[in-house]
Amino acid sequence: MSRKVTDKAVGNRHVKTIIIGSGFAGLGLAIRLSKQGRNDYLVLERGSDVGGTWRDNTYPGAACDVPSHLYSYSFALNPNWSRSFSKQGEIQQYIQGVAREYNVLDKHLFNCDVTAARWNNATNLWHIESTRGSFTADTVVSAVGALCEPALPDIKGINGFEGETFHSARWNHDADLTGKRVAIIGTGASAIQIVPSIAARVAHLDVYQRTAPWLLPRMDRPYTLPERLAFRHIPGFQRLSRAAIYAARETQVVGLAKVPALMQAFELLAKAKLRLEIRDPELRKKVTPDFRIGCKRMLISNDYYPALSRANVDVVTDGIAEIRANSIVTTDGTEREIDALIVATGFHVTDSPTYNAISGKDGRTLAEVFDEIGQQGYKGSAVANFPNMFFLLGPNVGLGHTSMVYMIESQINYIADALATVDRLGLRTVEVKRAVQDSYNEDLQGKLVKSVWNTGGCASWYLDKHGNNTTLWPDFTFEFRRITKNFDVSAYETTSVESFGNELKVVAGQ
């Protein structure tokens, strides 16, 4: 069994490929490289274990909204899922088990936060600084997920609050909320799981809602013993179940990306659920969205609306004016005393702080490039001005209907073939052509124009400051699998190892 790299520091070290991050994406690529015999790589992970968002998000009720059999690697199906929608702990155990099974933990450097990654034009290498030492690498792959940097609200006085306060992604398990007056800011995917999990044990819960989400039924249940035995022992049964789930989920793309009017059927279902589960007309009005379903992320829950209907829970729709030492004051002047504050305001998706740490060939950071042109890339896997750098979960790879693991595996195919192509052709550098990237993004935005995300009447974290949807893939996922099947080297500016060696000889001769 592999062991984790646990040295306090590694000094200066050259590695052919460095992967930053070890969630589903980084771990999946590490496994692929090991399978191909490309063992000169290292995974730099700022956490103490693999898992990414499933390691970090341990709040009460944390669970996946994609069916278990689809939310796993295709090469490591898990016949032991306990239920149709897995909870956080079970997913984290699965990821840890896969890392052990494929013996890649000895290629990880944990508790290693990358503070800078700079391209050096003279050496044609990436120079990486981290809390565990310095590195150089021929190629860097960013596997930093979109849901890793908590976004904190800019509210007057929030830093002066004297009670317990934490972000949902940094849950303080030492904080006992029993019998406390609690406020939670946000009504997104995390909040709708947290609220039902704590409502019964707190004295009072104020839910601060800026925008009401659309909710659909959560078709969750434990697997029966015959089902679990079938998944384990009947050849092909689990893979067939996975394929059926995939096909059913993929039909949603037609309504989301191509013919938004078809989302009306989902909206009718959501409205029926809302009317059935919330009897109070005033509360029902508060939590009824004013935009087309699908414009923001569709959420699934069977216990959120009942939790809001509890006598000790209030939904507050007035804006927050300020936070005081022991209370929250809304814009209508109402002051509500609280003992604990939970911030469930999501993540930096289109403006990740990690972008400030990566500098390309002209010295500009990824943040500066994105600030100028928007968060654009090529096939979500490369960005012009950043040679020999690839991205997992890059621009316009996100989904609103099915498993991100499918998209991750598609990108792994592309990047693994890119590295193989570089070796086969004797290339020193590869950088996507700006014209190719521009054309690709023009086509993407053209497809998004008629999508529900652009026409549904909402403002969402899918959009960047330029108003472009730089988060979601606007087509069937099998179409993304098709275009990432092989590395298209013709879309890239390249230099050869031979030409780089001649340049060094000329410099030496001078």
Side-chain angles (χ1 to χ4, degrees):
M1 184 174 69
S2 298
R3 61 178 179 82
K4 299 179 185 179
V5 178
T6 56
D7 307 88
K8 290 185 178 180
V10 295
N12 296 318
R13 177 177 174 184
H14 179 77
V15 185
K16 189 167 185 179
T17 304
I18 280 183
I19 303 169
I20 304 174
S22 190
F24 262 109
L27 177 61
L29 180 60
I31 292 170
R32 176 66 66 85
L33 295 184
S34 289
K35 282 184 173 181
Q36 292 181 334
R38 299 178 179 279
N39 294 310
D40 189 9
Y41 74 87
L42 186 63
V43 183
L44 307 183
E45 168 55 55
R46 72 178 182 181
S48 60
D49 202 349
V50 296
T53 190
W54 295 107
R55 177 198 62 229
D56 295 340
N57 285 267
T58 61
Y59 59 80
C64 192
D65 59 4
V66 174
S68 304
H69 289 296
L70 192 57
Y71 201 75
S72 58
Y73 295 116
S74 63
F75 58 83
L77 299 188
N78 178 19
N80 300 314
W81 294 120
S82 64
R83 56 190 314 111
S84 52
F85 287 84
S86 302
K87 295 184 178 180
Q88 174 268 333
E90 193 169 11
I91 297 173
Q92 176 63 359
Q93 289 176 8
Y94 164 77
I95 298 171
Q96 291 170 322
V98 171
R100 291 193 298 269
E101 178 183 354
Y102 286 90
N103 296 316
V104 295
L105 289 175
D106 61 342
K107 294 293 187 179
H108 282 68
L109 192 64
F110 292 101
N111 301 308
C112 180
D113 193 7
V114 174
T115 55
R118 302 183 182 91
W119 175 255
N120 187 309
N121 290 310
T123 62
N124 277 357
L125 296 174
W126 280 97
H127 292 245
I128 296 102
E129 300 295 331
S130 80
T131 54
R132 299 288 300 278
S134 302
F135 305 86
T136 56
D138 295 343
T139 304
V140 169
V141 180
S142 171
V144 178
L147 307 182
C148 70
E149 294 290 344
L152 300 175
D154 183 15
I155 300 174
K156 179 183 176 182
I158 191 169
N159 293 326
F161 181 67
E162 295 179 355
E164 291 283 357
T165 181
F166 44 85
H167 191 279
S168 58
R170 303 291 183 266
W171 193 271
N172 181 6
H173 291 277
D174 293 327
D176 185 5
L177 302 179
T178 305
K180 300 289 181 63
R181 297 167 299 180
V182 180
I184 181 168
I185 301 175
T187 52
S190 299
I192 69 158
Q193 296 180 340
I194 293 169
V195 168
S197 300
I198 67 173
R201 60 188 173 96
V202 303
H204 189 84
L205 179 61
D206 291 321
V207 180
Y208 285 84
Q209 171 190 283
R210 183 173 61 179
T211 306
W214 281 111
L215 262 63
L216 294 169
R218 185 178 182 86
M219 311 302 287
D220 187 24
R221 63 177 180 81
Y223 284 122
T224 64
L225 178 60
E227 285 175 312
R228 295 198 302 271
L229 291 174
F231 291 140
R232 291 191 190 102
H233 302 297
I234 297 180
F237 180 71
Q238 185 179 12
R239 200 163 289 279
L240 180 63
S241 298
R242 177 186 171 98
I245 295 169
Y246 171 79
R249 289 268 169 159
E250 203 68 5
T251 60
Q252 295 182 28
V253 176
V254 180
L256 289 169
K258 300 178 182 298
V259 188
L262 296 178
M263 295 305 295
Q264 183 67 27
F266 288 94
E267 196 164 310
L268 290 173
L269 175 61
K271 286 181 176 178
K273 174 182 173 63
L274 176 58
R275 180 169 290 277
L276 178 66
E277 296 181 357
I278 294 185
R279 298 297 185 178
D280 179 11
E282 184 178 345
L283 176 59
R284 188 189 307 143
K285 183 179 180 180
K286 279 186 177 182
V287 298
T288 299
D290 60 359
F291 54 87
R292 180 175 289 171
I293 193 169
C295 183
K296 283 178 174 285
R297 181 177 175 183
M298 293 183 291
L299 306 179
I300 56 174
S301 175
N302 296 333
D303 49 12
Y304 179 66
Y305 286 151
L308 297 185
S309 300
R310 293 178 58 90
N312 69 325
V313 177
D314 285 326
V315 176
V316 183
T317 56
D318 293 308
I320 298 175
E322 67 173 310
I323 296 176
R324 296 176 179 170
N326 301 107
S327 64
I328 294 180
V329 181
T330 49
T331 52
D332 65 348
T334 303
E335 182 175 8
R336 296 174 176 85
E337 293 188 354
I338 57 173
D339 305 305
L341 174 62
I342 301 167
V343 181
T345 48
F347 302 85
H348 290 281
V349 177
T350 59
D351 60 343
S352 174
T354 60
Y355 299 158
N356 291 299
I358 302 171
S359 302
K361 69 178 185 181
D362 65 1
R364 288 185 299 161
T365 65
L366 193 58
E368 290 171 327
V369 171
F370 284 166
D371 185 63
E372 178 186 335
I373 66 171
Q375 189 176 338
Q376 297 180 11
Y378 179 63
K379 299 184 178 180
S381 305
V383 177
N385 190 56
F386 296 85
N388 287 21
M389 186 168 200
F390 295 100
F391 296 83
L392 288 163
L393 301 171
N396 287 105
V397 174
L399 301 172
H401 68 287
T402 192
S403 175
M404 279 304 303
V405 183
Y406 184 92
M407 300 294 275
I408 287 169
E409 290 196 19
S410 298
Q411 286 192 285
I412 288 173
N413 292 340
Y414 188 74
I415 294 171
D417 192 48
L419 298 178
T421 301
V422 166
D423 287 350
R424 185 178 70 255
L425 300 181
L427 302 179
R428 181 70 181 187
T429 65
V430 291
E431 178 193 353
V432 66
K433 298 173 183 176
R434 178 62 186 269
V436 171
Q437 178 176 297
D438 288 345
S439 176
Y440 176 82
N441 281 278
E442 184 178 352
D443 181 61
L444 270 184
Q445 294 305 318
K447 289 181 178 179
L448 284 161
V449 167
K450 294 183 179 180
S451 73
V452 70
W453 309 303
N454 282 37
T455 63
C458 72
S460 74
W461 54 266
Y462 296 151
L463 309 180
D464 67 9
K465 73 172 191 175
H466 299 275
N468 294 320
N469 187 331
T470 57
T471 306
L472 297 177
W473 171 248
D475 209 332
F476 295 106
T477 59
F478 56 75
E479 176 62 16
F480 186 77
R481 176 65 59 91
R482 182 189 68 80
I483 69 169
T484 53
K485 182 178 180 180
N486 301 111
F487 180 65
D488 47 346
V489 69
S490 62
Y492 291 74
E493 299 284 0
T494 64
T495 62
S496 68
V497 171
E498 182 180 352
S499 65
F500 179 70
N502 289 336
E503 288 173 9
L504 289 182
K505 289 176 184 178
V506 170
V507 172
Q510 292 177 340

